[in-house]
């Protein structure tokens, strides 16, 4: 099928990035959230990021205006139902995602494709709770969406080939690269990345190194652009913990056991950049390690 309209559910960090790249690729976008403040903030962020692209000569001012006009916002989930492709980008909790698809289902067109931007939850299981498991798949963008080139496409057991091809065509129209992943916990990127971050937290927890030495070692010794603890703060420690729990529960292997220190930071509400404290304290001019 030819996809022209995109519904994005969730106007947070991932949702506004997805709306940005879709509208820039000349799709008509409907962005939905339960909070008007979140929608207002998302539109401000999208316009700011587009303007930054224009200031660098990557797009024109006219493109910025045209892109913003392609995005409409709504507090009403049923308004998403008339789109060709739905991308759910709500919080990384399976019960929340299931409730969204259940509420949306009566309002969908017969041929609408449903997808989730989940970073680790079973696509097969999410699909099984809908009326169209063959038209359901994982559409996992990397953060920040406008910058990162990869999109993981994850087929559930029931996902049919036309659905996969339609989603692949969308990724290609965005000018991004698709990686096909099988539906196992964490898919490809997080199956490899999160245990590395978790091991870095264990290294901190066991006193092998402090925050600065761990991050410096991986940046200068392994040529990583960001240290693992810095990256964890950027992703969000609550998200890292949620993915580690999915890996641990889904694969039943002790090597995926979340580090107790990661759990402690999340319990403290120190979730990284979004709360201004995590493995670094971001409340001053320069981030300061917290351990």
């Amino acid at each position: 099928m030819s996809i022209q309209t995109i519904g994005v559910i969730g106007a947070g960090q991932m949702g506004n990035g997805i709306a940005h790249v879709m509208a820039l690729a000349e799709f008509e976008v409907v962005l939905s959230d339960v909070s008007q403040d979140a929608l207002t903030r998302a539109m401000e962020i999208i316009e700011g990021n587009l303007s930054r692209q224009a200031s660098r000569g990557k797009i024109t001012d006219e493109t910025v205006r045209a892109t913003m006009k392609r995005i409409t916002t709504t507090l009403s989930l049923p308004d998403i139902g008339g789109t060709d492709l739905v991308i759910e980008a709500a919080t990384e909790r399976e019960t929340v995602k299931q409730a969204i698809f259940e509420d949306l289902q009566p309002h969908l067109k017969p041929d609408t494709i449903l997808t989730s931007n989940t970073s680790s939850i079973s696509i097969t299981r999410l699909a099984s709770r809908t009326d169209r498991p063959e038209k359901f798949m994982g559409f996992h963008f990397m953060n920040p969406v406008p910058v990162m080139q990869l999109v993981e496409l994850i087929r559930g057991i029931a996902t049919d080939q036309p659905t996969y091809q339609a989603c692949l065509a969308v990724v290609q129209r965005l000018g991004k690269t698709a990686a096909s992943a099988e539906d196992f916990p964490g898919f490809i990127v997080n199956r490899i990345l999160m245990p590395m971050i978790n091991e870095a937290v264990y290294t901190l927890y066991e006193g092998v190194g402090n925050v600065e030495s761990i991050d410096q070692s991986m940046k200068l010794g392994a040529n990583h652009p960001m240290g693992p603890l810095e990256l964890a703060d950027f992703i969000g420690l609550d998200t890292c913990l949620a993915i580690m729990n999915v890996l641990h529960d889904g694969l039943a292997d002790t090597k995926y056991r979340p580090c107790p220190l990661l759990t402690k930071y999340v319990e403290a509400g120190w979730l990284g950049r979004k709360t201004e404290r995590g493995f670094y304290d971001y409340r001053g001019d320069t981030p300061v390690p917290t351990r």
Side-chain angles (χ1 to χ4, degrees), residues 13-119:
Q13 191 174 36
M14 296 304 293
N16 73 58
I18 293 167
H20 171 148
V21 298
M22 291 295 180
L24 189 57
E26 300 186 2
F27 291 103
E28 295 295 324
V29 177
V30 183
L31 178 61
S32 167
D33 201 281
V34 294
S35 162
Q36 182 57 55
D37 287 346
L39 289 171
T40 302
R41 177 76 179 131
M43 293 299 279
E44 290 170 355
I45 290 170
I46 293 167
E47 187 164 20
N49 288 339
L50 286 166
S51 296
R52 193 174 299 113
Q53 287 178 286
S55 70
R56 292 171 180 166
K58 294 183 176 180
I59 58 175
T60 65
D61 291 337
E62 176 54 39
T63 300
V64 174
R65 290 189 290 271
T67 300
M68 292 303 297
K69 285 179 182 176
R70 292 190 198 102
I71 305 172
T72 57
T73 62
T74 182
L75 293 168
S76 175
L77 191 61
D79 291 346
I80 293 283
T83 58
D84 301 326
L85 169 67
V86 173
I87 303 173
E88 171 274 314
T91 187
E92 190 69 357
R93 288 207 302 274
E94 188 165 349
T95 52
V96 172
K97 294 178 185 299
Q98 286 175 345
I100 287 169
F101 288 124
E102 190 174 311
D103 291 346
L104 183 60
Q105 196 163 288
H107 310 284
L108 294 171
K109 298 189 301 182
D111 57 351
T112 296
I113 292 174
L114 294 179
T115 69
S116 176
N117 184 57
T118 180
S119 50

Side-chain angles (χ1 to χ4, degrees), residues 256-272:
Y256 299 113
R257 182 170 64 96
C259 179
L261 184 61
L262 177 59
T263 302
K264 193 64 66 182
Y265 268 76
V266 173
E267 288 174 345
W270 291 20
L271 309 181

Side-chain angles (χ1 to χ4, degrees), residues 243-290:
I243 296 169
M244 284 310 301
N245 280 324
V246 167
L247 289 170
H248 191 228
D249 294 344
L251 297 168
D253 191 323
T254 55
K255 73 180 180 180
Y256 299 113
R257 182 170 64 96
C259 179
L261 184 61
L262 177 59
T263 302
K264 193 64 66 182
Y265 268 76
V266 173
E267 288 174 345
W270 291 20
L271 309 181
R273 283 186 174 273
K274 60 187 172 185
T275 58
E276 298 193 314
R277 275 192 291 188
F279 293 114
Y280 293 85
D281 188 325
Y282 299 92
R283 293 174 297 175
D285 294 336
T286 306
V288 177
T290 54

Side-chain angles (χ1 to χ4, degrees), residues 144-158:
V145 179
V147 175
M148 301 296 278
Q149 284 299 302
L150 187 75
V151 180
E152 282 183 314
L153 293 180
I154 306 102
R155 277 179 276 210
I157 283 178

Side-chain angles (χ1 to χ4, degrees), residues 60 87 103 125 134 141-142 157 168 185-186 203 241 251 255 278:
T60 65
I87 303 173
D103 291 346
R125 196 162 62 237
E134 73 287 348
F141 287 86
M142 306 297 124
I157 283 178
L168 178 61
T203 306
L241 179 60
L251 297 168
K255 73 180 180 180

